[in-house]
Amino acid sequence: MTQNENSPTSFQGLEPRDILCADKIVELEKVDKSCNQESWCVAWAPDCSYIAWSQGGGIVYLLPWAPDQGQLLKKPTRDQSHENLSEIEESAFIDNLPRLSPADDTENEDDFSWNENPGPSCQQHKMEAQRFRIDCMDYVWSMTFGSGVSRSNCNVRRRFSFNSDLILLTGLQGGKIKVWNVYTGNLIMELLDHKSNVHGLTVMCNGSLKLASCSADCTIKCWDLNNDGNMYKTLRFKENVMVFDCKYSPTCKQLAAVGMNKCAYVWNLSNLNSPRKLTGHLHNVVHCDFSPDGALLATASFDTRVILWDPYTGDKIKTLGHMFPSPRPIYAGGANEHYARCVSFSKHGYRIATVADDGYVRVWSLESLSENPVDIAETRKPLCCSYSSNGHVIATGNRAGKIEIIRPQHVEVARLQHMCRMKIRQRVQETQQVDHLHFPFRLKEYLKYKEL
């Protein structure tokens, strides 16, 4: 297939039929048929037991997921037996979800109450894996899950005790951040400091319940949920522009944030006053994600590209294109119809999922990181994507408020040498420290992902 600059395509020298197509295993239509229903975010629980679906219009559905079966679960019966949904039931069961919101009737307060010390009732909810429909009372722009252990041995009195419960955080259009108990569907607390849309949320994975949020008010705020949601730090880009996403690294050593005017920054959490700027994008940078070992940072931009960076040095490792021929800078900085919207690493960091405005979900492989992905799936006007916590499936949301869950044809089986690299980089985190290892030069280059 010949190409020229007058006929840009989505793949380098290939037709879509020449690439393996991923299987769609779940497709749920929006429930509320009103207008302005856009699914801006989907999120997976850390243990892959739940998926949170922001349908649009302030409505979030918490759906239990069976990771061993790769399917949604029906509401379990009293004997706690689990039955899978059939294809016909998948769209119909949503209408019968329990409606939980701060404005619910008081008669249900005893059944769905938040306890500082969860008792048998809370444990029962965990076992039953309830489905919930949550009304956030405002448009939802971002979501994330979190879990941690409260510092119960501290002498300071706190209003909220999270224990080991799973929580869902939602970032809203008005600037609020609402925290929900996944096992009861109850609202736990509200965080109030942002002045506009909360575009991104990220929680440290070490159980400390440190939260970072970014907003259209040009700020990034750091919160301590274990300290009653105390906001202890505010960060800004030097350009003072809108921030679209932020992520803590899996090593809990860095914080990355991206925004308008080609901005991408990485902070070392030991020194939040001197961020490292990543230079290379030609348009707004709208999403970012760390690899599981924290050695790579992926950023998605409206310039049609996803760039893989070394967050410790700022070096550009690899560029994943979504438009061919590659657009010139002046065209990449405008309405090019191939905006890259979202990027997500798999569990072992061996696969990378991206979505773009050309209507494709792409799955890239680190083993063969060529100009084309190893799997694709067609979807209409995608906005977000997220790899499941176990790395088996990918959830996507689109402008119609619909969620689709796809399973790539290529099963993620990471090579032994890649698993060894991940283990080493988790122990030797900074790239500069790799140079001091007593290893051969080629092995050091492999540890720094230079072979990509």
Side-chain angles (χ1 to χ4, degrees), residues 368-412:
S368 58
L369 208 53
S370 61
E371 297 294 336
N372 289 303
V374 294
D375 279 283
I376 62 170
E378 291 190 56
T379 183
R380 184 172 175 82
K381 297 182 179 179
L383 291 174
C384 59
C385 68
S386 179
Y387 247 110
S388 62
S389 308
N390 58 13
H392 293 171
V393 296
I394 304 167
T396 67
N398 61 22
R399 290 191 178 276
K402 184 167 63 174
I403 185 175
E404 297 176 342
I405 301 178
I406 65 173
R407 180 185 292 114
Q409 294 281 357
H410 284 88
V411 180
E412 185 188 28

Side-chain angles (χ1 to χ4, degrees), residues 245-443:
D245 193 30
C246 59
K247 285 289 188 306
Y248 278 123
S249 70
T251 59
C252 302
K253 299 293 185 181
Q254 293 183 311
L255 171 65
V258 296
M260 291 184 65
N261 295 350
K262 317 169 193 176
C263 289
Y265 284 89
V266 178
W267 283 266
N268 189 329
L269 294 182
S270 62
N271 182 13
L272 291 174
N273 297 320
S274 302
R276 181 188 304 277
K277 186 175 182 180
L278 306 179
T279 305
H281 280 296
L282 305 172
H283 206 318
N284 298 339
V285 191
V286 293
H287 199 261
C288 62
D289 194 24
F290 279 97
S291 62
D293 58 2
L296 293 176
L297 172 67
T299 56
S301 171
F302 285 172
D303 64 6
T304 76
R305 299 180 300 164
V306 169
I307 298 180
L308 304 182
W309 310 83
D310 184 331
Y312 294 100
T313 64
D315 294 337
K316 188 186 300 184
I317 302 296
K318 184 71 176 180
T319 299
L320 308 179
H322 293 70
M323 179 178 177
F324 299 96
S326 298
R328 295 180 179 178
I330 191 170
Y331 184 54
N336 50 59
E337 299 181 354
H338 284 68
Y339 288 173
R341 294 279 180 179
C342 192
V343 58
S344 178
F345 275 94
S346 63
K347 176 183 178 180
H348 298 298
Y350 211 52
R351 297 281 189 267
I352 304 171
T354 63
V355 293
D357 280 358
D358 59 358
Y360 290 101
V361 181
R362 293 170 171 82
V363 179
W364 312 78
S365 172
L366 287 185
E367 182 180 10
S368 58
L369 208 53
S370 61
E371 297 294 336
N372 289 303
V374 294
D375 279 283
I376 62 170
E378 291 190 56
T379 183
R380 184 172 175 82
K381 297 182 179 179
L383 291 174
C384 59
C385 68
S386 179
Y387 247 110
S388 62
S389 308
N390 58 13
H392 293 171
V393 296
I394 304 167
T396 67
N398 61 22
R399 290 191 178 276
K402 184 167 63 174
I403 185 175
E404 297 176 342
I405 301 178
I406 65 173
R407 180 185 292 114
Q409 294 281 357
H410 284 88
V411 180
E412 185 188 28
V413 180
R415 295 165 62 183
L416 179 59
Q417 64 183 33
H418 173 72
M419 300 300 293
C420 293
R421 171 169 57 183
M422 284 190 59
K423 289 299 181 182
I424 294 175
R425 288 308 303 265
Q426 288 171 355
R427 296 288 298 273
V428 185
Q429 298 168 4
E430 296 187 14
T431 305
Q432 295 84 345
Q433 295 176 348
V434 175
D435 294 326
H436 298 293
L437 296 176
H438 297 290
F439 289 166
F441 175 78
R442 291 184 63 183
L443 182 55

Side-chain angles (χ1 to χ4, degrees), residues 122 160 187 271 377-378 396 444:
C122 189
F160 305 99
L187 177 66
N271 182 13
E378 291 190 56
T396 67
K444 292 181 182 179

Side-chain angles (χ1 to χ4, degrees), residues 98-275:
R99 296 174 179 264
L100 293 180
S101 70
D104 279 343
D105 296 335
T106 56
E107 63 183 16
N108 294 327
E109 289 181 356
D110 293 335
D111 297 331
F112 300 99
S113 60
W114 171 255
N115 300 317
E116 292 190 0
N117 298 313
S121 61
C122 189
Q123 297 297 329
Q124 182 181 0
H125 284 302
K126 295 181 186 180
M127 296 176 65
E128 291 182 352
Q130 295 289 326
R131 301 188 307 264
F132 295 112
R133 176 188 185 273
I134 298 176
D135 189 353
C136 296
M137 304 295 182
D138 200 354
Y139 287 101
V140 178
W141 285 85
S142 56
M143 293 188 302
T144 191
F145 283 90
S147 62
V149 179
S150 293
R151 304 162 190 165
S152 56
N153 58 346
C154 184
N155 294 326
V156 179
R157 177 173 176 79
R158 294 183 171 87
R159 295 177 57 200
F160 305 99
S161 177
F162 289 95
N163 295 294
S164 58
D165 283 342
L166 189 64
I167 60 174
L168 174 69
L169 300 99
T170 55
L172 307 182
Q173 181 167 294
K176 291 183 180 180
I177 300 172
K178 292 188 177 183
V179 185
W180 309 84
N181 186 338
V182 171
Y183 301 125
T184 65
N186 266 10
L187 177 66
I188 303 174
M189 68 166 70
E190 293 184 358
L191 306 179
L192 308 174
D193 207 74
H194 283 297
K195 308 302 180 185
S196 187
N197 306 357
V198 181
H199 283 144
L201 295 170
T202 178
V203 178
M204 280 192 183
C205 60
N206 60 2
S208 64
L209 283 177
K210 294 292 182 65
L211 166 70
S213 61
C214 61
S215 169
D217 62 10
C218 307
T219 64
I220 304 154
K221 296 185 182 292
C222 301
W223 316 76
D224 188 352
L225 298 182
N226 263 324
N227 191 13
D228 291 344
N230 175 49
M231 196 278 291
Y232 62 90
K233 186 69 174 180
T234 298
L235 306 172
R236 292 178 182 270
F237 289 167
K238 294 181 180 179
E239 296 83 356
N240 196 28
V241 296
M242 194 180 301
V243 190
F244 290 134
D245 193 30
C246 59
K247 285 289 188 306
Y248 278 123
S249 70
T251 59
C252 302
K253 299 293 185 181
Q254 293 183 311
L255 171 65
V258 296
M260 291 184 65
N261 295 350
K262 317 169 193 176
C263 289
Y265 284 89
V266 178
W267 283 266
N268 189 329
L269 294 182
S270 62
N271 182 13
L272 291 174
N273 297 320
S274 302

